Amino acid sequence: LSNFAYGISGALMKRYSSKEDPVIISGYQFVMGGFVMILVGLLSGGVITIDSAEAFGVMLYLSLLSAVAYSLWGVLLKFNPVSKVSIYSFMTPVFGVLLSNLMLTEKSTVSPLNLISALILICGGIFILNYQKQKTSK
């Protein structure tokens, strides 16, 4: 369901960004989506608490990271085919594991061999998708 929604959002972003600025579209999506998620969370008994400046900083960082990343994604979709841009989303889990290994102190459950294999396969797929032979003139 998540991948289906992701595919639909890519196609809609491509369509609507031809007439509107993708950054503005992303802003509307974040405001409306955030409002709905807060409303559902509060109605379900959730509570928003920020215990410290550090917690607020992490929340602000993650919010800005998401906003910038999705805005850049929209700009890429505006000027490139969806099929060429979407393949890069397969790098998300690779960067998630890499950054987790670098930043967290807990022991990783992913072996370095599996991580390197995944990175090679994903990069190979991206290369194959984007590779175009040069046309030679006669």
Side-chain angles (χ1 to χ4, degrees):
L1 186 58
S2 173
N3 284 329
F4 177 74
Y6 173 72
I8 297 294
S9 76
L12 290 175
M13 179 62 94
K14 177 71 173 175
R15 174 185 286 176
Y16 293 122
S17 67
S18 65
K19 298 177 183 136
E20 186 67 49
D21 183 12
V23 177
I24 300 295
I25 294 171
S26 297
Y28 283 129
Q29 287 178 320
F30 274 102
V31 169
M32 289 186 291
F35 177 75
V36 168
M37 288 193 308
I38 288 171
L39 186 64
V40 168
L42 292 174
L43 291 175
S44 300
V47 179
I48 298 173
T49 57
I50 299 175
D51 300 21
S52 65
E54 186 179 62
F56 179 77
V58 169
M59 191 169 75
L60 182 65
Y61 165 75
L62 291 173
S63 299
L64 290 174
L65 182 68
S66 296
V68 169
Y70 197 75
S71 295
L72 287 173
W73 190 256
V75 171
L76 282 172
L77 285 173
K78 180 175 184 170
F79 297 108
N80 297 287
V82 175
S83 62
K84 295 275 185 173
V85 176
S86 294
I87 192 72
Y88 290 97
S89 67
F90 291 114
M91 292 299 289
T92 302
V94 174
F95 281 112
V97 170
L98 283 172
L99 292 173
S100 294
N101 281 334
L102 290 174
M103 295 180 176
L104 301 176
T105 58
E106 57 206 34
K107 187 174 183 319
S108 175
T109 59
V110 179
S111 74
L113 181 62
N114 285 350
L115 183 62
I116 291 169
S117 299
L119 184 60
I120 290 169
L121 289 170
I122 291 169
C123 291
I126 291 170
F127 175 78
I128 290 168
L129 182 72
N130 289 305
Y131 179 77
Q132 296 176 350
K133 288 185 179 180
Q134 297 290 329
K135 292 183 179 181
T136 57
S137 58
K138 294 182 180 181

mmCIF file of all heavy atoms in Angstrom, residues 17 22 27 44 57 66 106 112 114:
data_model
loop_
_atom_site.group_PDB
_atom_site.id
_atom_site.type_symbol
_atom_site.label_atom_id
_atom_site.label_comp_id
_atom_site.label_asym_id
_atom_site.label_seq_id
_atom_site.Cartn_x
_atom_site.Cartn_y
_atom_site.Cartn_z
ATOM 1 N N SER A 17 3.458 19.586 -11.010
ATOM 2 C CA SER A 17 4.623 20.465 -10.946
ATOM 3 C C SER A 17 4.915 21.153 -12.274
ATOM 4 O O SER A 17 5.707 22.087 -12.317
ATOM 5 C CB SER A 17 5.856 19.701 -10.465
ATOM 6 O OG SER A 17 6.245 18.735 -11.417
ATOM 7 N N PRO A 22 7.151 22.995 -7.436
ATOM 8 C CA PRO A 22 7.150 21.782 -6.615
ATOM 9 C C PRO A 22 7.399 22.052 -5.130
ATOM 10 O O PRO A 22 6.917 21.304 -4.276
ATOM 11 C CB PRO A 22 8.278 20.933 -7.189
ATOM 12 C CG PRO A 22 8.729 21.583 -8.429
ATOM 13 C CD PRO A 22 8.148 22.937 -8.496
ATOM 14 N N GLY A 27 5.118 22.028 0.314
ATOM 15 C CA GLY A 27 4.698 22.745 1.519
ATOM 16 C C GLY A 27 3.250 22.465 1.863
ATOM 17 O O GLY A 27 2.916 22.187 3.024
ATOM 18 N N SER A 44 -6.772 9.733 18.913
ATOM 19 C CA SER A 44 -6.495 8.353 19.335
ATOM 20 C C SER A 44 -5.863 8.287 20.719
ATOM 21 O O SER A 44 -5.446 7.225 21.158
ATOM 22 C CB SER A 44 -5.565 7.678 18.326
ATOM 23 O OG SER A 44 -6.167 7.654 17.054
ATOM 24 N N GLY A 57 15.300 19.954 19.061
ATOM 25 C CA GLY A 57 16.281 20.047 17.983
ATOM 26 C C GLY A 57 16.205 18.867 17.030
ATOM 27 O O GLY A 57 16.272 19.032 15.810
ATOM 28 N N SER A 66 13.111 16.223 6.036
ATOM 29 C CA SER A 66 12.022 15.707 5.208
ATOM 30 C C SER A 66 11.536 16.751 4.212
ATOM 31 O O SER A 66 11.317 16.443 3.039
ATOM 32 C CB SER A 66 10.846 15.276 6.090
ATOM 33 O OG SER A 66 11.214 14.212 6.909
ATOM 34 N N GLU A 106 24.605 1.188 18.897
ATOM 35 C CA GLU A 106 24.175 -0.201 18.984
ATOM 36 C C GLU A 106 24.831 -1.039 17.887
ATOM 37 O O GLU A 106 25.256 -0.525 16.862
ATOM 38 C CB GLU A 106 22.650 -0.289 18.894
ATOM 39 C CG GLU A 106 22.102 0.332 17.640
ATOM 40 C CD GLU A 106 20.683 0.807 17.791
ATOM 41 O OE1 GLU A 106 20.310 1.254 18.875
ATOM 42 O OE2 GLU A 106 19.957 0.733 16.806
ATOM 43 N N PRO A 112 28.670 -6.332 6.898
ATOM 44 C CA PRO A 112 29.273 -5.464 5.878
ATOM 45 C C PRO A 112 29.189 -6.061 4.479
ATOM 46 O O PRO A 112 28.993 -5.339 3.502
ATOM 47 C CB PRO A 112 30.725 -5.327 6.343
ATOM 48 C CG PRO A 112 30.695 -5.594 7.803
ATOM 49 C CD PRO A 112 29.589 -6.584 8.008
ATOM 50 N N ASN A 114 26.773 -8.010 3.262
ATOM 51 C CA ASN A 114 25.409 -7.785 2.765
ATOM 52 C C ASN A 114 25.201 -6.328 2.360
ATOM 53 O O ASN A 114 24.562 -6.041 1.352
ATOM 54 C CB ASN A 114 24.380 -8.177 3.817
ATOM 55 C CG ASN A 114 24.222 -9.667 3.959
ATOM 56 O OD1 ASN A 114 24.738 -10.439 3.158
ATOM 57 N ND2 ASN A 114 23.513 -10.088 4.984
#
